[in-house]
Every structure is written in C-alpha cells, then in structure tokens.
Amino acid sequence: DTGVSQNPRHKITKRGQNVTFRCDPISEHNRLYWYRQTLGQGPEFLTYFQNEAQLEKSRLLSDRFSAERPKGSFSTLEIQRTEQGDSAMYLCASSITGVMNTEAFFGQGTRLTVV
Amino acid sequence: DAKTTQPTSMDCAEGRAANLPCNHSTISGNEYVYWYRQIHSQGPQYIIHGLKNNETNEMASLIITEDRKSSTLILPHATLRDTAVYYCIVRGIGGSNYKLTFGKGTLLTVNP
C-alpha cells in the first residue's frame, strides 16, 4: 500500500499519560500535515512540515503537543499529560510541492480516547 | 480563505445523480474550489478541484458558476459506497496556501 499510513489506528489512554502517534507519508511527498477532528466537526489544521522543517503551528497546538519529522520522512505527534478534551481523531496528510499546490492525501487517522 | 456554505444533509437514491451544492460568495480570483469526502471512520479523500472551468474526473464532475460564487459537485450514478460527508473547500494557490479549512460539510446518504 503506497498511501499515507498512521499508527496506531486506535489508542485508549488514561488522563495524564503521554501518547505518541506515527505517520508515514507517501514516499515522494515533501509536505506533511497533522489535523485533528472531533465528533461532528470537520478536520482542523494543527501543524505543517516541509521536509524536516515545521513551518506552521496552529494555536490549537498547545505546549503539551509536539510534532517532529526527523530527516523529512515519517512524523510523530506526541501529546503530554493527556486530557479528556484531547479525545479526537488525529489525521495525517501529505502532498508534494509543485507549480501549484497539489491535493493532500490523508491517512486513516488515529482515534484517541482519553479516559 | 473564503468561507463556504453547504447544506447539512442530503439524500439520494442509488443509481441516481447526486448534486451537492456549495456557496462561496466571497471567493477571490486566485482561489480554487476543492471537494473532499470522508466516509465514516476514514480519512478525507480528495475528489476534484477547479478554478472556473467545469471539471470532470473518474469520480465526479464539478460545475462552477460563471460568477464563481457557487459550485455543484455531481456524482453521476450514486452508489451506497458514496454515503459520506462531502466537504467543499476554497483555497488559494501558491506556497503559503497549503492548509485545508474544513467546514462541517454535507452528509450525503445514498438509499437503496
């Protein structure tokens, strides 16, 4: 499968624990995005990488959230000291830079439940 | 990015055409109209995009009005697998216009 891969697909954690999600983008895609989606809402932008550089972070990304993309390949999103409000679907997407922006391809997401 | 307005939900009979409207009255000249859909418990899937000309691909057709203030996504022969939330998004081109701003979309239910 050459699409965007996210692991794990589901994560249940206790409040206060740290969690880390992984995203493997489409191999030639240099742009990588994280979005968050709560029930009944559309996805909301969290952060964006071009290669290994994190170029934008949404205000939604509190200091408990950190994302990395070492070597410009896979990315991780870590949430420290999870809260119940962090329960959501976390989506990763990737795209390639071109003359104009191409469409983004999304992974299946990681559904986080904080209990 | 310009704001979009879509109906909350729509129904369509299997095998018939599904026509999903979107209003984007504040769209500017360099902004494209994108459509994505999200089947339950999956990530969003790109469908089609256009600037001002009508576009067609293997999934759908996109009709943009001449004044570009509205558009319609057409699924010519809807199947049960087309049941999903459909998002209409307006986005500029160029390096800084990389993120997608999703609204709540239209839940299309295709009925047998």
Side-chain angles (χ1 to χ4, degrees), chain A residues 5 22-23 30 33 44 77 86:
Chain A
S5 176
R22 178 180 170 121
C23 171
N30 60 337
Y33 318 82
E44 297 172 292
L77 178 68
D86 298 331

Side-chain angles (χ1 to χ4, degrees), chain B residues 61-80:
Chain B
S61 294
L62 174 60
I63 309 298
I64 302 174
T65 58
E66 193 168 343
D67 64 7
R68 302 187 70 238
K69 293 185 176 183
S70 65
S71 61
T72 301
L73 178 75
I74 301 172
L75 308 178
H77 305 287
T79 71
L80 299 179

Side-chain angles (χ1 to χ4, degrees), chain A residues 13-36:
Chain A
T13 191
K14 291 183 178 179
R15 189 174 51 191
Q17 297 294 303
N18 299 344
V19 293
T20 300
F21 311 140
R22 178 180 170 121
C23 171
D24 288 275
I26 294 171
S27 60
E28 66 268 25
H29 285 188
N30 60 337
R31 292 183 165 184
L32 186 145
Y33 318 82
W34 285 98
Y35 287 77
R36 181 173 70 185

Side-chain angles (χ1 to χ4, degrees), chain A residues 33-86:
Chain A
Y33 318 82
W34 285 98
Y35 287 77
R36 181 173 70 185
Q37 185 174 26
T38 54
L39 202 61
Q41 305 295 318
E44 297 172 292
F45 171 81
L46 290 180
T47 190
Y48 156 64
F49 290 84
Q50 179 150 324
N51 300 311
E52 66 276 9
Q54 187 174 21
L55 298 185
E56 184 175 348
K57 293 169 63 174
S58 161
R59 288 172 298 177
L60 294 174
L61 216 62
S62 76
D63 56 5
R64 296 184 298 104
F65 288 71
S66 63
E68 294 182 342
R69 193 184 182 197
K71 303 178 183 178
S73 56
F74 71 92
S75 175
T76 58
L77 178 68
E78 181 183 17
I79 309 174
Q80 296 182 325
R81 305 180 304 280
T82 52
E83 302 173 355
Q84 287 189 321
D86 298 331

